[in-house]
Amino acid sequence: MASGLGVALFSSAVFGLSGSFAKALLETGWTPGAAVTARLTGAALILAIPALPALRGRWHQLKDNWLTVLLFGLIGVAACQLFYFNAVSRLSVGVALLLEYLAPVIIVLWLWAASRKRPRPLTIAGTLLSLGGLVLVLDLTGAVKIDLIGVLWGIAAAVCLAIYFFITAKENDTLPPIVLASGGLMVGAVVMWLAAATGLLPMAFSTADTRLGPWITPWWVALAGLVVLATVVAYVSGIVAARALGSKVASFVSLTEVLFAVIWAWLLLGELPGPVQLLGGILIVGGVVLVRVDELRGASAPGAVPLPAQLDHANDVEPVP
């Protein structure tokens, strides 16, 4: 448990680097589509190395789970990351990630509206707490006006995350997680290249130097960090953590990614949300924790509709930015 917890925290820390590395590239002229495409392509090629031996003698599992891989690549990888990077291009890294973490709240609200049955009290409390945190994160009365388009991109990323959980909630987990990660990244990369080739996705790269903290580095340093650390190492360590802790406990620890993302953005980009936004972030994460705690308890109250398995994801690989 102790070693698994350490690996899970490490995974959250390296996942939290993605926003900072991506923004360093975006500020030199890269488009969000180009950053996502380069990230997915590089990571897919690297993860294919361990994925191929994992499928030896079990290629039928890939055929049996092709829909899971396709949906993971389209929604959990390509769409989710593209929308998140678009949000990062207009908002601070911390605010963009907090908006995406509203996905469990979106699930609760959708189920509430669709079933017309109230969730359990703890879930309601967590939802209201997160919505209150959202108001503070947006800091509508603050001196600095937040970018509305960036907010919409962040919420779109949260919607993609929620849709992915809905679609894959009942899928089996017979496919090795490293294969799911590699296959999903490959599908996402292909989708991004096709969108660029048809002119649907603006694609612009730059070889200008990037700034990371006090250092001026070549562009490939930020890209390598985005591909190797924030994707390959993050996914692999996340899989190891999920196997050691179980998906429920690992999903709780993954909430620390917001904290790490804020710290990295502060150290590498000089970004730090204001006090009101930080308080809002605490409320959002606290609300998500309450929702997940209620799902863990799994005790149905009279007239209440429990959350389905969306928050207890069947696979060891979740669509984390």
Side-chain angles (χ1 to χ4, degrees):
M1 175 67 73
S3 60
L5 183 60
V7 174
L9 288 172
F10 173 77
S11 178
S12 291
V14 287
F15 260 128
L17 279 166
S18 66
S20 295
F21 283 136
K23 191 152 191 174
L25 293 171
L26 297 178
E27 289 179 344
T28 65
W30 286 59
T31 59
V36 172
T37 303
R39 180 190 191 188
L40 300 187
T41 303
L45 293 175
I46 295 174
L47 284 178
I49 298 174
L52 290 175
L55 274 174
R56 186 174 301 162
R58 297 189 294 179
W59 286 93
H60 65 279
Q61 293 181 352
L62 187 61
K63 180 181 178 181
D64 295 339
N65 294 274
W66 68 269
L67 183 58
T68 302
V69 176
L70 180 64
L71 293 174
F72 180 66
L74 285 175
I75 301 174
V77 173
C80 196
Q81 291 186 25
L82 179 62
F83 294 165
Y84 171 63
F85 280 10
N86 271 303
V88 164
S89 69
R90 293 175 172 270
L91 305 171
S92 69
V93 172
V95 170
L97 189 57
L98 284 169
L99 291 173
E100 185 170 0
Y101 265 76
L102 289 171
V105 176
I106 293 175
I107 292 174
V108 171
L109 294 176
W110 173 256
L111 291 175
W112 194 346
S115 66
R116 297 186 179 181
K117 293 182 180 179
R118 65 174 178 82
R120 295 187 291 267
L122 196 60
T123 293
I124 295 176
T127 301
L128 293 177
L129 194 64
S130 290
L131 291 177
L134 174 62
V135 173
L136 295 181
V137 165
L138 298 182
D139 196 11
L140 300 177
T141 60
V144 178
K145 297 302 179 182
I146 202 160
D147 191 299
L148 178 59
I149 296 178
V151 171
L152 293 177
W153 280 122
I155 294 176
V159 170
C160 282
L161 193 58
I163 291 174
Y164 173 76
F165 284 141
F166 270 116
I167 292 175
T168 62
K170 297 182 181 180
E171 294 292 339
N172 62 63
D173 58 352
T174 59
L175 195 66
I178 193 69
V179 176
L180 176 61
S182 176
L185 289 166
M186 195 168 296
V187 169
V190 170
V191 170
M192 298 298 290
W193 282 114
L194 288 176
T198 57
L200 296 176
L201 184 68
M203 193 81 73
F205 302 87
S206 173
T207 57
D209 291 343
T210 58
R211 176 179 291 276
L212 293 170
W215 305 284
I216 302 297
T217 64
W219 62 273
W220 55 264
V221 172
L223 180 59
L226 183 62
V227 172
V228 178
L229 289 177
T231 311
V232 175
V233 173
Y235 270 116
V236 172
S237 58
I239 291 170
V240 173
R243 287 294 175 90
L245 300 175
S247 60
K248 290 181 179 180
V249 177
S251 69
F252 270 98
V253 181
S254 70
L255 293 174
T256 59
E257 183 191 342
V258 177
L259 172 62
F260 284 116
V262 171
I263 293 174
W264 287 125
W266 174 44
L267 294 175
L268 299 178
L269 303 175
E271 289 184 354
L272 190 64
V276 173
Q277 291 179 314
L278 288 174
L279 176 60
I282 293 173
L283 295 182
I284 288 178
V285 174
V288 172
V289 167
L290 290 181
V291 171
R292 290 183 182 258
V293 165
D294 200 23
E295 201 282 329
L296 277 174
R297 289 169 58 184
S300 299
V305 55
L307 286 178
Q310 281 85 356
L311 301 183
D312 180 21
H313 188 43
N315 297 302
D316 289 338
V317 180
E318 295 191 13
V320 185

